[in-house]
Amino acid sequence: MKKISIKTSSPYEVLIERGSIEKCGEYVSSVTKSRKAAIITDDIVERLYADTVVKSLEGNGFECSVFAFPNGEQSKNLSVLGQIFHFLCENNITRSDILIALGGGVVGDITGFAAACFLRGVDFVQIPTTLLAQVDSSVGGKTAVDIPDGKNLVGAFKQPALVICDSDTLKTLTPDILSCGMAEVIKYGMIRDRKLFEMLERHNLGNVDEIMDEIVYTCIDIKRDVVENDEFDKGERMILNFGHTLGHAIEGWHNYTDYTHGMGVAVGMCLITDKFAPNLSERLKKCLIAYELPTDTEAPMRELLPYCSKDKKRESGNISYIVCGTVGKAEIRKTSVSEFERIMGE
Ligand code: GLY
């Protein structure tokens, strides 16, 4: 097993081990005195892993209840959040009990936010089962739900008590969900780690499993470093948003339905790189294509820009965006929304 310690305001460990989901009860026991756990998941992950998690928790003396909502970004909303609160009340979850987020980014984000708010805060454990959730959303404490005005607009910083990453769970992912996570992995290579990017260039979606353990460890370690330096997203942490301002806009343009977050990030990275570092565009696109990710969008720029001006990375008329001029190095740039729109719209 590999461990990464995250030294944030509330420190915790990320455990990376194949098969760890079967031992989660033992690991959860080490971070709580309670023996009552509420597992929040989605209907697809429930079928795959809920029994294993419940068995392991019960084997370690936990009383468990399971709440599953329909899989997908459309569930990451205030209505499902209300259903989670109701479920926690019905099951008499108290402030000293523990919530378990079992699933991908949507499950982690909404469960983390429920944990931040319910009874003014209960502990929660992340058991991420997608690549995106393992390398990005389960670590760092960003939790949120979407509202009709935009993605992740209502949320809180709430660090988990523990993250349990079992890369065996990635074997059950469909190729498009694996691709989606690979967009974030490629992003890490671009912003911070030339060697990671070069390793990705030597592989593709068909054989990436060979390097999966190294990918998961490397990306979480990069995230650890960035989050420890800027837990509350006031500066350096913004580099993790490379490709995200336009990526979220593209997801929004597609009504968050037939377009994954990773596809949006992939295209977002390309649009920014085409504009600000065209010498790197071809290399970035070749790598994205190897992981079956898109590099362009049918959405007209003039229709994407209004979404960007609503993005939460905007501050009083200004917008921050990330440019990678060299593989492995990112720079945060800030400009007025109107100037950003002018440059991108050209
Ligand atoms: N997913 C970006 C961040 O955690 O800051």
Side-chain angles (χ1 to χ4, degrees):
M1 184 211 289
K2 287 192 171 166
K3 276 188 196 177
I4 297 180
S5 298
I6 315 281
K7 295 186 185 67
T8 39
S9 50
S10 157
Y12 55 100
E13 283 185 332
V14 182
L15 311 181
I16 307 166
E17 181 185 33
R18 287 191 185 248
S20 52
I21 209 162
E22 284 160 29
K23 297 192 238 163
C24 67
E26 181 190 327
Y27 300 142
V28 174
S29 299
S30 68
V31 295
T32 180
K33 290 194 181 78
S34 164
R35 283 297 172 268
K36 199 161 176 190
I39 299 155
I40 314 295
T41 187
D42 68 38
D43 52 353
I44 294 181
V45 179
E46 180 188 31
R47 281 197 294 278
L48 291 167
Y49 301 115
D51 284 350
T52 310
V53 168
V54 168
K55 192 172 162 211
S56 177
L57 285 163
E58 286 181 349
N60 282 272
F62 282 89
E63 181 193 325
C64 297
S65 49
V66 180
F67 178 83
F69 56 79
N71 173 273
E73 186 74 29
Q74 294 91 323
S75 287
K76 207 175 98 177
N77 59 41
L78 291 168
S79 161
V80 173
L81 183 69
Q83 292 168 29
I84 293 173
F85 291 146
H86 179 61
F87 168 82
L88 298 175
C89 289
E90 279 203 316
N91 285 281
N92 300 314
I93 296 297
T94 68
R95 203 184 268 170
S96 56
D97 297 327
I98 195 138
L99 309 193
I100 313 275
L102 172 66
V106 168
V107 169
D109 283 6
I110 195 167
T111 307
F113 189 43
C117 305
F118 188 66
L119 306 176
R120 300 200 179 91
V122 284
D123 285 346
F124 82 114
V125 170
Q126 291 266 20
I127 307 185
T129 58
T130 64
L131 180 59
L132 182 140
Q134 293 193 357
V135 299
D136 182 27
S137 56
S138 67
V139 178
K142 277 192 184 174
T143 73
V145 292
D146 305 333
I147 56 173
D149 304 80
K151 201 174 145 89
N152 294 333
L153 289 188
V154 178
F157 287 98
K158 166 83 176 167
Q159 300 296 341
L162 179 71
V163 183
I164 302 171
C165 279
D166 179 348
S167 36
D168 275 349
T169 61
L170 307 183
K171 287 182 185 154
T172 52
L173 296 182
T174 56
D176 57 323
I177 302 296
L178 189 61
S179 277
C180 175
M182 284 309 300
E184 295 285 355
V185 172
I186 292 167
K187 176 201 79 179
Y188 280 113
M190 285 290 289
I191 61 170
R192 261 301 174 89
D193 193 329
R194 183 175 52 81
K195 286 205 173 109
L196 170 65
F197 192 85
E198 287 168 357
M199 180 170 76
L200 298 174
E201 289 182 304
R202 293 192 295 272
H203 290 80
N204 57 53
L205 196 66
N207 62 15
V208 71
D209 190 50
E210 290 168 10
I211 52 166
M212 198 49 89
D213 288 343
E214 199 173 342
I215 285 178
V216 170
Y217 183 86
T218 305
C219 293
I220 295 175
D221 201 43
I222 295 171
K223 181 128 192 199
R224 174 200 58 72
D225 189 48
V226 173
V227 168
E228 284 181 352
N229 287 331
D230 179 22
E231 180 176 351
F232 297 106
D233 206 14
K234 303 271 187 226
E236 180 187 343
R237 186 164 178 171
M238 281 184 217
I239 65 166
L240 297 174
N241 287 322
F242 177 46
H244 281 58
T245 301
L246 284 158
H248 285 164
I250 298 166
E251 283 181 82
W253 192 83
H254 284 270
N255 291 318
Y256 306 103
T257 48
D258 53 345
Y259 216 82
T260 66
H261 176 65
M263 289 162 78
V265 170
V267 176
M269 291 192 287
C270 292
L271 295 176
I272 283 284
T273 303
D274 283 345
K275 200 54 91 174
F276 297 99
N279 54 318
L280 276 191
S281 279
E282 203 189 327
R283 194 169 167 198
L284 170 62
K285 287 179 187 172
K286 206 170 157 202
C287 189
L288 292 167
I289 289 166
Y291 293 92
E292 294 175 23
L293 285 157
T295 58
D296 206 351
T297 175
E298 56 181 312
M301 187 55 76
R302 66 174 184 286
E303 290 180 25
L304 295 179
L305 290 170
Y307 289 92
C308 298
S309 46
K310 275 202 280 183
D311 196 276
K312 61 187 178 320
K313 288 174 280 304
R314 182 179 64 86
E315 283 167 34
S316 55
N318 288 326
I319 193 162
S320 297
Y321 59 97
I322 315 305
V323 174
C324 293
T326 311
V327 173
K329 284 206 168 63
E331 185 190 316
I332 303 167
R333 293 193 190 169
K334 199 176 202 172
T335 187
S336 64
V337 172
S338 55
E339 179 63 3
F340 182 75
E341 289 182 350
R342 190 191 63 72
I343 299 169
M344 292 311 298
E346 267 174 6

